Amino acid sequence: MKKIMFKIMNLMMLSCKKATELIDKKIHFRLSNKENFQLILHKSMCDACKAYEEHSRFLDGVLKQEQNKIENLDKYRPTEQFKANLINKFKK
Amino acid sequence: MEELADYKINRTEIISEWVGKYSDSLYSWAFYKTTHRETAEDLVQDTFLSAFQAIDKFENKSEPKTWLFSILNNKIYDYHRKKFKNLSSVLPNKEQKSDEDFDSNFFDDNDKWIQENRPQQWNDTQNLLDNNEFLAVLHYCMENLPETWNSAIQFKYISEKDSDDICKELGINTTNYWQILHRAKLKLRQCVENKWFGR
């Protein structure tokens, strides 16, 4: 009996490497029930992977929303020459 | 005939006005997303050309700026999609080979986190989206990714397409795709942690 329990536990255990893979897979695709369960189990025991998931989702959110924040940054101005050429193009 | 001429003048005036009003924002976004001056200029120019040709379809219901940005984003998407496709067809094996090397930066022989690279607690993340210094760090870290990974992330986040559709469009299998995104995320996360959250 013990042996079987041990086998089942082993089957459900993920390494940190595999857990972080599933964390990112979950953000973009779906996990199977088994994968979901394995991940929950792993995170309940591993603070580093729990932190990894928070960070990965945080970065995901920033990358999705950054457009509204960045467009008025002064350092990336086009040259006046470029703008003048552009306007000329449409006048032809 | 006269009407047509009027129409053309009108169209030219509108576009010229838009160039004056919006080219700064469009350019800064395009440059931020591609980091090449010439690429950004090309993309912005193409955006206005497309807008010029399709101006009949523009409905005054939406803001011109929103409309122009959606055109530009499509062009940025295509730019990174093509770049990704070209680069991954040139060096498919090179990256595969280095898989183990790459993973060993993060995980030990038992696939556990290497002690000094374990994710730490990130504090005060709420307002970082409004923090230009933080966004600059993120940008720096994006630029330090291998080019194919950078492009994979760029076109993923600039479009609203879901990942399944993107894979179909690119003709790559979903496992390859999320593994690229995953590796990119591992590296990006670590860079942001080191450069911003300090250790």
Side-chain angles (χ1 to χ4, degrees), chain A residues 90, chain B residues 10-20 48 51-52 55:
Chain A
F90 295 105
Chain B
N10 196 2
R11 203 154 67 142
T12 308
E13 269 174 14
I14 294 173
I15 292 288
S16 303
E17 193 194 320
W18 287 355
V19 170
F48 282 113
F52 185 73
I55 205 154

Side-chain angles (χ1 to χ4, degrees), chain B residues 31-75:
Chain B
F31 184 83
Y32 183 76
K33 288 278 112 181
T34 62
T35 54
H36 291 286
R37 192 176 54 82
E38 277 172 25
T39 306
E41 288 182 352
D42 286 349
L43 292 172
V44 171
Q45 181 178 311
D46 287 352
T47 299
F48 282 113
L49 284 172
S50 298
F52 185 73
Q53 278 151 10
I55 205 154
D56 297 337
K57 288 185 206 131
F58 172 67
E59 295 178 19
N60 279 314
K61 272 180 271 173
S62 69
E63 287 280 324
K65 190 174 176 184
T66 313
W67 189 57
L68 292 168
F69 262 92
S70 70
I71 299 173
L72 175 61
N73 277 343
N74 274 329
K75 302 206 182 283

Side-chain angles (χ1 to χ4, degrees), chain B residues 88-106:
Chain B
S88 42
S89 66
V90 179
L91 30 108
N93 297 320
K94 200 181 142 211
E95 279 178 4
Q96 224 105 69
K97 256 188 213 158
S98 60
D99 275 5
E100 270 180 35
D101 286 348
F102 176 80
D103 289 336
S104 67
N105 291 321
F106 300 94

Side-chain angles (χ1 to χ4, degrees), chain A residues 14-31 35 42 45-92, chain B residues 8 12 15-16 19-20 23-25 27-29 31-33 37 40-42 44-45 48-49 52 65 69 73 103 107 110-113 118-122 125 128-130 132 134-136 138-139 142 153 156-157 163-164 167 174 177-179 181-182 185-186 188-189 192-193 197:
Chain A
L14 292 176
S15 63
C16 293
K17 185 179 156 212
K18 187 74 194 158
T20 58
E21 282 178 18
L22 292 186
I23 285 165
D24 286 324
K25 185 185 176 191
K26 192 175 179 178
I27 291 178
H28 302 289
F29 296 97
R30 290 154 303 274
L31 297 185
E35 287 171 329
H42 182 90
M45 298 177 296
C46 178
D47 286 341
C49 287
K50 224 157 81 185
Y52 180 85
E53 180 170 44
E54 276 168 30
H55 302 165
S56 185
R57 288 189 179 275
F58 168 72
L59 292 173
D60 199 60
V62 175
L63 290 166
K64 268 182 200 154
Q65 292 171 52
E66 64 176 352
Q67 176 177 336
N68 306 329
K69 310 291 174 183
I70 228 79
E71 60 189 57
N72 292 319
L73 280 188
D74 282 346
K75 51 176 177 176
Y76 310 128
R77 283 285 163 85
T79 59
E80 289 305 318
Q81 180 69 42
F82 168 67
K83 278 156 80 173
N85 288 346
L86 203 52
I87 290 174
N88 279 333
K89 273 217 162 71
F90 295 105
K91 290 210 168 124
K92 273 174 208 160
Chain B
K8 214 187 157 206
T12 308
I15 292 288
S16 303
V19 170
S23 59
D24 282 0
S25 306
Y27 176 86
S28 68
W29 178 241
F31 184 83
Y32 183 76
K33 288 278 112 181
R37 192 176 54 82
E41 288 182 352
D42 286 349
V44 171
Q45 181 178 311
F48 282 113
L49 284 172
F52 185 73
K65 190 174 176 184
F69 262 92
N73 277 343
D103 289 336
F107 303 105
N110 297 318
D111 289 346
K112 286 188 172 148
W113 287 100
R118 279 168 70 91
Q120 305 294 307
Q121 196 69 34
W122 288 6
T125 50
L128 286 181
L129 203 52
D130 292 314
N132 282 340
F134 173 75
L135 292 175
L138 180 68
H139 192 221
M142 286 285 291
I153 289 210
K156 167 68 208 168
Y157 287 101
S163 306
D164 285 309
C167 287
T174 54
Y177 183 56
W178 65 253
Q179 280 185 341
L181 291 173
H182 167 59
K185 205 61 137 335
L186 269 173
L188 187 64
R189 195 212 67 82
V192 169
E193 183 161 296
F197 293 95

